[in-house]
Amino acid sequence: MKILISFIACAAMAFAQAAPPAGASGAGRGGPRLQFWVTSTGFPDGGMIPMHHAGRGDNKSPAFEFHWNLGTNPGAAPDALKTYAVILHDVENSTAKGTVDTLHWSAFNIPGTATGLAEGLGAGDLPDGTRNGPGINNRGGNPGSYFGPGAPAGPIHHYIFEFYALDTRLDLPATATRDELMKAMEGHVVGKAAYTGRFPAPQ
């Protein structure tokens, strides 16, 4: 009898530990996770960036589409989402002989309702609230704007578009530094995606 009571008690304890807490959605440990990702019609992820999007060419920012997935299934953006931000940097090029790579362009306060970015974004503050921030063109009093790949002929450079989904709107001027932008986003990232392109100027 004691053995039977002991067995029942152990089984009940095991069940209690295995059962999810009340109200659990299945998105926690072991469940599907909400993920942010992007696509582009301008060039494939990891592919060569066309001259149309290069600083040495037409210098038009690529179009991007925003997506959210819950596991392998399409999902809705989180309720906490307020804005998006993007930075474009050349990982092969160092700045001022330092360890920091070259920031080509950034934009923030892209509305959280946006489903992507149109090709050829304008400079400065845009009508939807998007603000062009630190980057190559945001110097000498000029408004910030997209500046595409500019690597010379020779070895391929890798350019990374990093997208951040944020639970806040950033209270930053367009003249903010890269460090100030990254610091302002710290603790507010609810999703992150990356899209990579390669570029060398034609021979």
Side-chain angles (χ1 to χ4, degrees), residues 128-201:
D128 66 357
T130 297
R131 170 165 287 176
N132 283 280
I136 289 176
N137 278 346
N138 193 350
R139 297 173 180 173
N142 296 316
S145 62
Y146 173 81
F147 191 88
I156 285 175
H157 281 217
H158 294 77
Y159 292 82
I160 301 179
F161 293 81
E162 290 183 7
F163 292 87
Y164 296 84
L166 307 172
D167 65 3
T168 189
R169 181 177 176 82
L170 302 180
D171 184 18
L172 287 175
T175 54
T177 66
R178 180 181 188 174
D179 285 346
E180 288 169 339
L181 174 58
M182 301 307 289
K183 184 177 179 180
M185 292 193 292
E186 187 67 33
H188 295 287
V189 179
V190 295
K192 182 181 178 183
Y195 204 86
T196 303
R198 299 176 294 140
F199 181 83

Short mmCIF file of all heavy atoms in Angstrom, two decimals, residues 128-201:
data_model
loop_
_atom_site.label_atom_id
_atom_site.label_comp_id
_atom_site.label_asym_id
_atom_site.label_seq_id
_atom_site.Cartn_x
_atom_site.Cartn_y
_atom_site.Cartn_z
N ASP A 128 6.10 60.26 -43.52
CA ASP A 128 5.53 59.25 -42.62
C ASP A 128 6.22 59.23 -41.25
O ASP A 128 5.90 58.40 -40.41
CB ASP A 128 5.57 57.86 -43.25
CG ASP A 128 6.99 57.33 -43.46
OD1 ASP A 128 7.96 58.07 -43.17
OD2 ASP A 128 7.14 56.19 -43.93
N GLY A 129 7.16 60.13 -41.03
CA GLY A 129 7.87 60.18 -39.75
C GLY A 129 9.24 59.54 -39.77
O GLY A 129 10.01 59.69 -38.80
N THR A 130 9.56 58.84 -40.85
CA THR A 130 10.88 58.24 -40.97
C THR A 130 11.94 59.33 -40.98
O THR A 130 11.78 60.35 -41.66
CB THR A 130 10.99 57.41 -42.26
OG1 THR A 130 10.06 56.32 -42.21
CG2 THR A 130 12.39 56.85 -42.45
N ARG A 131 13.01 59.12 -40.25
CA ARG A 131 14.10 60.10 -40.19
C ARG A 131 15.40 59.45 -40.66
O ARG A 131 15.82 58.42 -40.13
CB ARG A 131 14.27 60.63 -38.78
CG ARG A 131 15.52 61.47 -38.54
CD ARG A 131 15.42 62.25 -37.25
NE ARG A 131 14.47 63.36 -37.40
CZ ARG A 131 14.12 64.18 -36.41
NH1 ARG A 131 14.62 64.00 -35.19
NH2 ARG A 131 13.27 65.16 -36.63
N ASN A 132 16.02 60.03 -41.67
CA ASN A 132 17.35 59.58 -42.09
C ASN A 132 18.36 60.06 -41.06
O ASN A 132 18.40 61.25 -40.71
CB ASN A 132 17.70 60.15 -43.46
CG ASN A 132 17.00 59.43 -44.59
OD1 ASN A 132 17.43 58.35 -45.02
ND2 ASN A 132 15.91 60.00 -45.08
N GLY A 133 19.17 59.13 -40.56
CA GLY A 133 20.10 59.43 -39.49
C GLY A 133 21.54 59.41 -39.92
O GLY A 133 21.87 59.77 -41.05
N PRO A 134 22.43 58.99 -39.01
CA PRO A 134 23.86 59.01 -39.31
C PRO A 134 24.23 58.14 -40.50
O PRO A 134 23.61 57.12 -40.77
CB PRO A 134 24.49 58.48 -38.01
CG PRO A 134 23.39 57.79 -37.28
CD PRO A 134 22.14 58.48 -37.67
N GLY A 135 25.25 58.59 -41.22
CA GLY A 135 25.72 57.89 -42.40
C GLY A 135 26.64 58.78 -43.19
O GLY A 135 26.94 59.91 -42.80
N ILE A 136 27.09 58.31 -44.33
CA ILE A 136 28.05 59.04 -45.15
C ILE A 136 27.52 60.39 -45.61
O ILE A 136 28.23 61.39 -45.61
CB ILE A 136 28.49 58.18 -46.36
CG1 ILE A 136 29.37 57.02 -45.88
CG2 ILE A 136 29.23 59.02 -47.40
CD1 ILE A 136 29.78 56.05 -46.97
N ASN A 137 26.24 60.44 -46.02
CA ASN A 137 25.69 61.69 -46.54
C ASN A 137 25.29 62.68 -45.46
O ASN A 137 25.05 63.85 -45.75
CB ASN A 137 24.47 61.41 -47.44
CG ASN A 137 24.89 61.03 -48.84
OD1 ASN A 137 26.04 61.22 -49.23
ND2 ASN A 137 23.96 60.48 -49.62
N ASN A 138 25.20 62.23 -44.22
CA ASN A 138 24.78 63.12 -43.13
C ASN A 138 26.01 63.81 -42.54
O ASN A 138 26.37 63.60 -41.39
CB ASN A 138 24.04 62.31 -42.07
CG ASN A 138 23.30 63.19 -41.08
OD1 ASN A 138 23.47 64.41 -41.07
ND2 ASN A 138 22.49 62.59 -40.25
N ARG A 139 26.63 64.63 -43.34
CA ARG A 139 27.84 65.33 -42.91
C ARG A 139 27.80 66.75 -43.45
O ARG A 139 27.17 67.03 -44.47
CB ARG A 139 29.10 64.63 -43.45
CG ARG A 139 29.29 63.21 -42.93
CD ARG A 139 30.45 62.53 -43.63
NE ARG A 139 30.65 61.17 -43.15
CZ ARG A 139 31.51 60.30 -43.69
NH1 ARG A 139 32.23 60.67 -44.74
NH2 ARG A 139 31.63 59.08 -43.20
N GLY A 140 28.49 67.65 -42.76
CA GLY A 140 28.61 69.01 -43.24
C GLY A 140 27.31 69.76 -43.36
O GLY A 140 27.16 70.63 -44.22
N GLY A 141 26.34 69.40 -42.51
CA GLY A 141 25.06 70.09 -42.54
C GLY A 141 24.09 69.56 -43.58
O GLY A 141 22.98 70.07 -43.71
N ASN A 142 24.48 68.53 -44.33
CA ASN A 142 23.59 67.94 -45.33
C ASN A 142 22.58 67.01 -44.65
O ASN A 142 22.90 66.38 -43.65
CB ASN A 142 24.38 67.13 -46.36
CG ASN A 142 25.33 67.98 -47.17
OD1 ASN A 142 24.95 69.07 -47.62
ND2 ASN A 142 26.54 67.51 -47.35
N PRO A 143 21.36 66.93 -45.19
CA PRO A 143 20.39 65.99 -44.61
C PRO A 143 20.83 64.56 -44.87
O PRO A 143 21.44 64.26 -45.91
CB PRO A 143 19.09 66.32 -45.35
CG PRO A 143 19.55 66.91 -46.65
CD PRO A 143 20.80 67.67 -46.33
N GLY A 144 20.56 63.68 -43.92
CA GLY A 144 20.91 62.28 -44.10
C GLY A 144 20.15 61.67 -45.25
O GLY A 144 19.01 62.05 -45.53
N SER A 145 20.77 60.72 -45.91
CA SER A 145 20.11 60.01 -47.01
C SER A 145 20.88 58.73 -47.31
O SER A 145 22.02 58.54 -46.85
CB SER A 145 20.03 60.88 -48.27
OG SER A 145 21.32 61.21 -48.74
N TYR A 146 20.27 57.87 -48.09
CA TYR A 146 20.88 56.61 -48.48
C TYR A 146 22.18 56.86 -49.25
O TYR A 146 22.25 57.76 -50.10
CB TYR A 146 19.91 55.81 -49.34
CG TYR A 146 20.48 54.55 -49.94
CD1 TYR A 146 20.57 53.38 -49.19
CD2 TYR A 146 20.92 54.52 -51.26
CE1 TYR A 146 21.10 52.21 -49.74
CE2 TYR A 146 21.44 53.36 -51.83
CZ TYR A 146 21.52 52.21 -51.06
OH TYR A 146 22.04 51.06 -51.62
N PHE A 147 23.20 56.08 -48.96
CA PHE A 147 24.44 56.08 -49.74
C PHE A 147 24.85 54.63 -49.91
O PHE A 147 25.24 53.96 -48.95
CB PHE A 147 25.54 56.88 -49.06
CG PHE A 147 26.74 57.11 -49.96
CD1 PHE A 147 26.79 58.20 -50.79
CD2 PHE A 147 27.79 56.20 -49.97
CE1 PHE A 147 27.88 58.42 -51.64
CE2 PHE A 147 28.89 56.40 -50.82
CZ PHE A 147 28.93 57.51 -51.65
N GLY A 148 24.73 54.13 -51.14
CA GLY A 148 24.95 52.72 -51.40
C GLY A 148 26.41 52.33 -51.49
O GLY A 148 27.32 53.14 -51.26
N PRO A 149 26.66 51.06 -51.82
CA PRO A 149 28.02 50.53 -51.89
C PRO A 149 28.93 51.37 -52.77
O PRO A 149 28.53 51.85 -53.83
CB PRO A 149 27.81 49.14 -52.48
CG PRO A 149 26.44 48.76 -52.03
CD PRO A 149 25.65 50.02 -52.08
N GLY A 150 30.18 51.50 -52.31
CA GLY A 150 31.14 52.29 -53.06
C GLY A 150 32.51 51.65 -53.14
O GLY A 150 33.49 52.33 -53.44
N ALA A 151 32.58 50.36 -52.87
CA ALA A 151 33.87 49.67 -52.91
C ALA A 151 34.47 49.76 -54.31
O ALA A 151 33.76 49.64 -55.31
CB ALA A 151 33.71 48.21 -52.51
N PRO A 152 35.78 49.97 -54.41
CA PRO A 152 36.43 50.05 -55.72
C PRO A 152 36.57 48.66 -56.35
O PRO A 152 36.26 47.65 -55.72
CB PRO A 152 37.80 50.64 -55.39
CG PRO A 152 38.07 50.15 -54.00
CD PRO A 152 36.73 50.16 -53.31
N ALA A 153 37.02 48.64 -57.57
CA ALA A 153 37.27 47.36 -58.23
C ALA A 153 38.29 46.58 -57.42
O ALA A 153 39.24 47.14 -56.87
CB ALA A 153 37.80 47.60 -59.65
N GLY A 154 38.09 45.29 -57.33
CA GLY A 154 39.00 44.45 -56.54
C GLY A 154 38.21 43.46 -55.71
O GLY A 154 37.13 43.02 -56.11
N PRO A 155 38.72 43.09 -54.52
CA PRO A 155 38.03 42.11 -53.67
C PRO A 155 36.62 42.57 -53.32
O PRO A 155 36.35 43.76 -53.16
CB PRO A 155 38.91 42.04 -52.42
CG PRO A 155 40.25 42.49 -52.89
CD PRO A 155 40.00 43.52 -53.94
N ILE A 156 35.73 41.61 -53.18
CA ILE A 156 34.33 41.88 -52.85
C ILE A 156 34.19 42.41 -51.43
O ILE A 156 34.84 41.91 -50.50
CB ILE A 156 33.49 40.60 -53.03
CG1 ILE A 156 33.29 40.33 -54.53
CG2 ILE A 156 32.14 40.71 -52.34
CD1 ILE A 156 32.58 39.03 -54.82
N HIS A 157 33.35 43.42 -51.26
CA HIS A 157 32.97 43.91 -49.94
C HIS A 157 31.56 43.39 -49.62
O HIS A 157 30.73 43.27 -50.52
CB HIS A 157 32.97 45.44 -49.89
CG HIS A 157 34.33 46.03 -49.77
ND1 HIS A 157 34.59 47.16 -49.01
CD2 HIS A 157 35.54 45.64 -50.28
CE1 HIS A 157 35.88 47.45 -49.08
NE2 HIS A 157 36.47 46.55 -49.85
N HIS A 158 31.32 43.13 -48.35
CA HIS A 158 30.01 42.67 -47.90
C HIS A 158 29.28 43.82 -47.21
O HIS A 158 29.82 44.44 -46.28
CB HIS A 158 30.15 41.49 -46.94
CG HIS A 158 30.71 40.27 -47.60
ND1 HIS A 158 32.06 40.11 -47.88
CD2 HIS A 158 30.10 39.14 -48.04
CE1 HIS A 158 32.26 38.94 -48.46
NE2 HIS A 158 31.09 38.33 -48.58
N TYR A 159 28.08 44.08 -47.67
CA TYR A 159 27.27 45.17 -47.12
C TYR A 159 26.07 44.55 -46.41
O TYR A 159 25.34 43.74 -47.01
CB TYR A 159 26.81 46.11 -48.23
CG TYR A 159 27.94 46.88 -48.85
CD1 TYR A 159 28.75 46.31 -49.82
CD2 TYR A 159 28.25 48.17 -48.42
CE1 TYR A 159 29.82 47.00 -50.37
CE2 TYR A 159 29.31 48.88 -48.97
CZ TYR A 159 30.09 48.28 -49.94
OH TYR A 159 31.16 48.98 -50.47
N ILE A 160 25.86 44.94 -45.17
CA ILE A 160 24.78 44.36 -44.39
C ILE A 160 23.74 45.42 -44.06
O ILE A 160 24.06 46.48 -43.52
CB ILE A 160 25.30 43.73 -43.09
CG1 ILE A 160 26.33 42.64 -43.41
CG2 ILE A 160 24.13 43.14 -42.27
CD1 ILE A 160 26.91 41.97 -42.19
N PHE A 161 22.50 45.13 -44.43
CA PHE A 161 21.35 45.93 -44.00
C PHE A 161 20.81 45.27 -42.74
O PHE A 161 20.35 44.12 -42.79
CB PHE A 161 20.26 45.94 -45.07
CG PHE A 161 20.61 46.64 -46.35
CD1 PHE A 161 21.37 45.99 -47.33
CD2 PHE A 161 20.17 47.94 -46.60
CE1 PHE A 161 21.68 46.63 -48.53
CE2 PHE A 161 20.48 48.59 -47.79
CZ PHE A 161 21.24 47.94 -48.75
N GLU A 162 20.91 45.94 -41.61
CA GLU A 162 20.37 45.41 -40.36
C GLU A 162 19.08 46.15 -40.03
O GLU A 162 19.05 47.38 -40.00
CB GLU A 162 21.37 45.60 -39.21
CG GLU A 162 22.60 44.72 -39.30
CD GLU A 162 23.51 44.90 -38.10
OE1 GLU A 162 23.13 45.60 -37.14
OE2 GLU A 162 24.63 44.34 -38.14
N PHE A 163 18.04 45.38 -39.80
CA PHE A 163 16.74 45.95 -39.48
C PHE A 163 16.39 45.64 -38.03
O PHE A 163 16.55 44.51 -37.56
CB PHE A 163 15.66 45.35 -40.40
CG PHE A 163 15.79 45.78 -41.83
CD1 PHE A 163 16.60 45.07 -42.71
CD2 PHE A 163 15.09 46.89 -42.31
CE1 PHE A 163 16.72 45.46 -44.03
CE2 PHE A 163 15.21 47.28 -43.63
CZ PHE A 163 16.02 46.57 -44.49
N TYR A 164 15.88 46.64 -37.33
CA TYR A 164 15.48 46.49 -35.94
C TYR A 164 14.00 46.85 -35.79
O TYR A 164 13.57 47.90 -36.27
CB TYR A 164 16.30 47.42 -35.04
CG TYR A 164 17.77 47.11 -35.01
CD1 TYR A 164 18.63 47.61 -36.00
CD2 TYR A 164 18.33 46.30 -34.01
CE1 TYR A 164 20.00 47.33 -35.98
CE2 TYR A 164 19.68 46.02 -33.99
CZ TYR A 164 20.51 46.52 -34.98
OH TYR A 164 21.85 46.24 -34.97
N ALA A 165 13.24 45.97 -35.16
CA ALA A 165 11.86 46.26 -34.79
C ALA A 165 11.88 46.69 -33.33
O ALA A 165 12.42 45.98 -32.48
CB ALA A 165 11.00 45.01 -34.97
N LEU A 166 11.31 47.86 -33.05
CA LEU A 166 11.44 48.46 -31.73
C LEU A 166 10.09 48.70 -31.06
O LEU A 166 9.08 48.93 -31.75
CB LEU A 166 12.18 49.80 -31.84
CG LEU A 166 13.53 49.78 -32.56
CD1 LEU A 166 14.04 51.20 -32.77
CD2 LEU A 166 14.54 48.94 -31.79
N ASP A 167 10.11 48.67 -29.73
CA ASP A 167 8.87 48.92 -28.98
C ASP A 167 8.77 50.39 -28.55
O ASP A 167 8.04 50.72 -27.62
CB ASP A 167 8.78 48.00 -27.76
CG ASP A 167 9.87 48.27 -26.72
OD1 ASP A 167 10.68 49.21 -26.91
OD2 ASP A 167 9.93 47.54 -25.72
N THR A 168 9.51 51.26 -29.25
CA THR A 168 9.50 52.68 -28.90
C THR A 168 9.77 53.52 -30.14
O THR A 168 10.23 53.01 -31.16
CB THR A 168 10.56 52.98 -27.82
OG1 THR A 168 10.41 54.31 -27.35
CG2 THR A 168 11.97 52.82 -28.39
N ARG A 169 9.49 54.81 -30.01
CA ARG A 169 9.88 55.79 -31.01
C ARG A 169 11.12 56.49 -30.47
O ARG A 169 11.19 56.84 -29.29
CB ARG A 169 8.75 56.80 -31.24
CG ARG A 169 9.05 57.87 -32.28
CD ARG A 169 7.85 58.78 -32.50
NE ARG A 169 8.18 59.84 -33.42
CZ ARG A 169 8.17 59.73 -34.74
NH1 ARG A 169 7.82 58.57 -35.28
NH2 ARG A 169 8.49 60.73 -35.52
N LEU A 170 12.13 56.66 -31.31
CA LEU A 170 13.40 57.21 -30.85
C LEU A 170 13.39 58.73 -30.87
O LEU A 170 13.09 59.35 -31.89
CB LEU A 170 14.54 56.69 -31.73
CG LEU A 170 14.70 55.16 -31.79
CD1 LEU A 170 15.86 54.79 -32.70
CD2 LEU A 170 14.89 54.58 -30.39
N ASP A 171 13.71 59.30 -29.73
CA ASP A 171 13.78 60.76 -29.59
C ASP A 171 15.22 61.20 -29.85
O ASP A 171 15.97 61.52 -28.93
CB ASP A 171 13.31 61.17 -28.19
CG ASP A 171 13.26 62.69 -28.02
OD1 ASP A 171 13.23 63.39 -29.05
OD2 ASP A 171 13.24 63.16 -26.87
N LEU A 172 15.59 61.17 -31.13
CA LEU A 172 16.95 61.49 -31.53
C LEU A 172 16.93 62.48 -32.69
O LEU A 172 16.07 62.39 -33.57
CB LEU A 172 17.70 60.24 -32.00
CG LEU A 172 18.15 59.20 -30.97
CD1 LEU A 172 18.75 58.01 -31.70
CD2 LEU A 172 19.15 59.80 -30.00
N PRO A 173 17.89 63.39 -32.74
CA PRO A 173 17.99 64.28 -33.89
C PRO A 173 18.63 63.54 -35.06
O PRO A 173 19.29 62.51 -34.87
CB PRO A 173 18.90 65.41 -33.39
CG PRO A 173 19.77 64.74 -32.38
CD PRO A 173 18.89 63.72 -31.69
N ALA A 174 18.46 64.05 -36.26
CA ALA A 174 19.06 63.44 -37.44
C ALA A 174 20.58 63.47 -37.36
O ALA A 174 21.26 62.67 -38.00
CB ALA A 174 18.59 64.16 -38.70
N THR A 175 21.11 64.37 -36.55
CA THR A 175 22.57 64.51 -36.41
C THR A 175 23.16 63.58 -35.35
O THR A 175 24.34 63.68 -35.03
CB THR A 175 22.92 65.97 -36.05
OG1 THR A 175 22.17 66.34 -34.87
CG2 THR A 175 22.58 66.91 -37.18
N ALA A 176 22.35 62.69 -34.80
CA ALA A 176 22.85 61.75 -33.80
C ALA A 176 23.99 60.91 -34.38
O ALA A 176 24.07 60.71 -35.60
CB ALA A 176 21.72 60.84 -33.33
N THR A 177 24.86 60.44 -33.53
CA THR A 177 25.95 59.57 -33.98
C THR A 177 25.47 58.12 -34.04
O THR A 177 24.41 57.77 -33.52
CB THR A 177 27.15 59.66 -33.02
OG1 THR A 177 26.75 59.11 -31.74
CG2 THR A 177 27.61 61.10 -32.84
N ARG A 178 26.29 57.30 -34.65
CA ARG A 178 25.97 55.87 -34.70
C ARG A 178 25.88 55.29 -33.30
O ARG A 178 24.96 54.53 -32.99
CB ARG A 178 27.06 55.14 -35.50
CG ARG A 178 26.84 53.64 -35.63
CD ARG A 178 28.00 53.03 -36.43
NE ARG A 178 27.77 51.64 -36.75
CZ ARG A 178 28.57 50.92 -37.55
NH1 ARG A 178 29.63 51.50 -38.10
NH2 ARG A 178 28.32 49.65 -37.81
N ASP A 179 26.82 55.66 -32.42
CA ASP A 179 26.80 55.15 -31.05
C ASP A 179 25.52 55.58 -30.33
O ASP A 179 24.93 54.79 -29.57
CB ASP A 179 28.01 55.65 -30.28
CG ASP A 179 29.30 54.93 -30.67
OD1 ASP A 179 29.21 53.88 -31.34
OD2 ASP A 179 30.39 55.43 -30.33
N GLU A 180 25.09 56.81 -30.55
CA GLU A 180 23.87 57.30 -29.90
C GLU A 180 22.64 56.56 -30.41
O GLU A 180 21.72 56.25 -29.63
CB GLU A 180 23.73 58.80 -30.14
CG GLU A 180 24.74 59.64 -29.36
CD GLU A 180 24.77 61.10 -29.77
OE1 GLU A 180 24.33 61.41 -30.91
OE2 GLU A 180 25.24 61.92 -28.97
N LEU A 181 22.63 56.25 -31.70
CA LEU A 181 21.50 55.50 -32.26
C LEU A 181 21.44 54.10 -31.67
O LEU A 181 20.38 53.64 -31.23
CB LEU A 181 21.64 55.44 -33.78
CG LEU A 181 20.63 54.56 -34.53
CD1 LEU A 181 19.20 55.01 -34.26
CD2 LEU A 181 20.92 54.56 -36.03
N MET A 182 22.58 53.41 -31.62
CA MET A 182 22.60 52.05 -31.10
C MET A 182 22.23 52.02 -29.61
O MET A 182 21.51 51.14 -29.16
CB MET A 182 23.97 51.42 -31.33
CG MET A 182 24.41 51.35 -32.78
SD MET A 182 23.20 50.56 -33.89
CE MET A 182 23.35 48.85 -33.37
N LYS A 183 22.71 53.02 -28.87
CA LYS A 183 22.41 53.09 -27.44
C LYS A 183 20.93 53.33 -27.20
O LYS A 183 20.33 52.76 -26.29
CB LYS A 183 23.24 54.19 -26.79
CG LYS A 183 23.06 54.28 -25.28
CD LYS A 183 23.95 55.35 -24.68
CE LYS A 183 23.75 55.45 -23.16
NZ LYS A 183 24.62 56.49 -22.56
N ALA A 184 20.32 54.18 -28.05
CA ALA A 184 18.89 54.48 -27.89
C ALA A 184 18.02 53.25 -28.17
O ALA A 184 16.94 53.11 -27.60
CB ALA A 184 18.50 55.63 -28.83
N MET A 185 18.49 52.36 -29.03
CA MET A 185 17.72 51.15 -29.36
C MET A 185 17.88 50.06 -28.32
O MET A 185 17.05 49.14 -28.23
CB MET A 185 18.13 50.62 -30.74
CG MET A 185 17.74 51.51 -31.89
SD MET A 185 17.88 50.70 -33.51
CE MET A 185 19.66 50.50 -33.65
N GLU A 186 18.95 50.14 -27.54
CA GLU A 186 19.23 49.11 -26.54
C GLU A 186 18.05 48.94 -25.58
O GLU A 186 17.52 49.91 -25.04
CB GLU A 186 20.49 49.50 -25.75
CG GLU A 186 20.97 48.42 -24.79
CD GLU A 186 21.49 47.19 -25.51
OE1 GLU A 186 22.06 47.34 -26.61
OE2 GLU A 186 21.30 46.09 -24.97
N GLY A 187 17.64 47.70 -25.38
CA GLY A 187 16.53 47.39 -24.48
C GLY A 187 15.16 47.55 -25.11
O GLY A 187 14.15 47.36 -24.42
N HIS A 188 15.10 47.88 -26.41
CA HIS A 188 13.80 48.10 -27.07
C HIS A 188 13.61 47.23 -28.30
O HIS A 188 12.63 47.40 -29.03
CB HIS A 188 13.67 49.57 -27.47
CG HIS A 188 13.63 50.53 -26.32
ND1 HIS A 188 12.52 50.65 -25.50
CD2 HIS A 188 14.57 51.37 -25.83
CE1 HIS A 188 12.77 51.56 -24.57
NE2 HIS A 188 14.00 52.00 -24.73
N VAL A 189 14.52 46.29 -28.55
CA VAL A 189 14.47 45.48 -29.76
C VAL A 189 13.54 44.29 -29.56
O VAL A 189 13.78 43.43 -28.70
CB VAL A 189 15.89 44.99 -30.15
CG1 VAL A 189 15.82 44.11 -31.39
CG2 VAL A 189 16.81 46.18 -30.38
N VAL A 190 12.47 44.23 -30.35
CA VAL A 190 11.52 43.10 -30.28
C VAL A 190 11.66 42.19 -31.50
O VAL A 190 10.95 41.20 -31.62
CB VAL A 190 10.07 43.61 -30.14
CG1 VAL A 190 9.88 44.32 -28.82
CG2 VAL A 190 9.66 44.50 -31.31
N GLY A 191 12.57 42.54 -32.40
CA GLY A 191 12.83 41.72 -33.56
C GLY A 191 14.01 42.29 -34.33
O GLY A 191 14.23 43.50 -34.34
N LYS A 192 14.81 41.42 -34.94
CA LYS A 192 15.94 41.88 -35.73
C LYS A 192 16.11 40.99 -36.95
O LYS A 192 15.91 39.78 -36.88
CB LYS A 192 17.23 41.87 -34.88
CG LYS A 192 18.44 42.40 -35.64
CD LYS A 192 19.70 42.35 -34.78
CE LYS A 192 20.91 42.84 -35.60
NZ LYS A 192 22.17 42.74 -34.84
N ALA A 193 16.46 41.62 -38.08
CA ALA A 193 16.68 40.88 -39.31
C ALA A 193 17.89 41.46 -40.02
O ALA A 193 18.28 42.61 -39.78
CB ALA A 193 15.45 40.95 -40.21
N ALA A 194 18.49 40.68 -40.89
CA ALA A 194 19.65 41.13 -41.66
C ALA A 194 19.52 40.68 -43.10
O ALA A 194 18.95 39.62 -43.39
CB ALA A 194 20.95 40.61 -41.04
N TYR A 195 20.04 41.50 -44.00
CA TYR A 195 20.03 41.19 -45.44
C TYR A 195 21.39 41.61 -45.98
O TYR A 195 21.83 42.74 -45.78
CB TYR A 195 18.91 41.96 -46.13
CG TYR A 195 18.43 41.35 -47.43
CD1 TYR A 195 17.43 40.36 -47.42
CD2 TYR A 195 18.94 41.76 -48.66
CE1 TYR A 195 16.98 39.81 -48.61
CE2 TYR A 195 18.48 41.21 -49.84
CZ TYR A 195 17.50 40.23 -49.82
OH TYR A 195 17.02 39.68 -50.99
N THR A 196 22.07 40.69 -46.64
CA THR A 196 23.45 40.93 -47.06
C THR A 196 23.59 41.00 -48.56
O THR A 196 22.97 40.23 -49.29
CB THR A 196 24.37 39.81 -46.53
OG1 THR A 196 24.26 39.75 -45.10
CG2 THR A 196 25.82 40.08 -46.89
N GLY A 197 24.41 41.94 -49.03
CA GLY A 197 24.74 42.03 -50.44
C GLY A 197 26.23 42.15 -50.62
O GLY A 197 26.96 42.55 -49.70
N ARG A 198 26.72 41.79 -51.81
CA ARG A 198 28.15 41.88 -52.11
C ARG A 198 28.35 42.87 -53.24
O ARG A 198 27.51 43.00 -54.12
CB ARG A 198 28.68 40.50 -52.50
CG ARG A 198 28.52 39.45 -51.39
CD ARG A 198 28.98 38.07 -51.84
NE ARG A 198 28.12 37.55 -52.88
CZ ARG A 198 28.55 36.88 -53.94
NH1 ARG A 198 29.85 36.66 -54.12
NH2 ARG A 198 27.70 36.42 -54.84
N PHE A 199 29.48 43.57 -53.19
CA PHE A 199 29.73 44.56 -54.26
C PHE A 199 31.21 44.86 -54.45
O PHE A 199 31.91 45.17 -53.50
CB PHE A 199 29.02 45.88 -53.91
CG PHE A 199 29.19 46.95 -54.97
CD1 PHE A 199 28.37 46.97 -56.08
CD2 PHE A 199 30.19 47.91 -54.85
CE1 PHE A 199 28.54 47.95 -57.06
CE2 PHE A 199 30.36 48.87 -55.81
CZ PHE A 199 29.52 48.90 -56.93
N PRO A 200 31.66 44.78 -55.71
CA PRO A 200 32.90 45.42 -56.10
C PRO A 200 32.56 46.28 -57.32
O PRO A 200 31.69 45.91 -58.10
CB PRO A 200 33.77 44.24 -56.52
CG PRO A 200 32.79 43.25 -57.10
CD PRO A 200 31.43 43.56 -56.53
N ALA A 201 33.17 47.42 -57.48
CA ALA A 201 32.92 48.22 -58.68
C ALA A 201 33.42 47.46 -59.90
O ALA A 201 34.36 46.68 -59.81
CB ALA A 201 33.63 49.56 -58.56
#
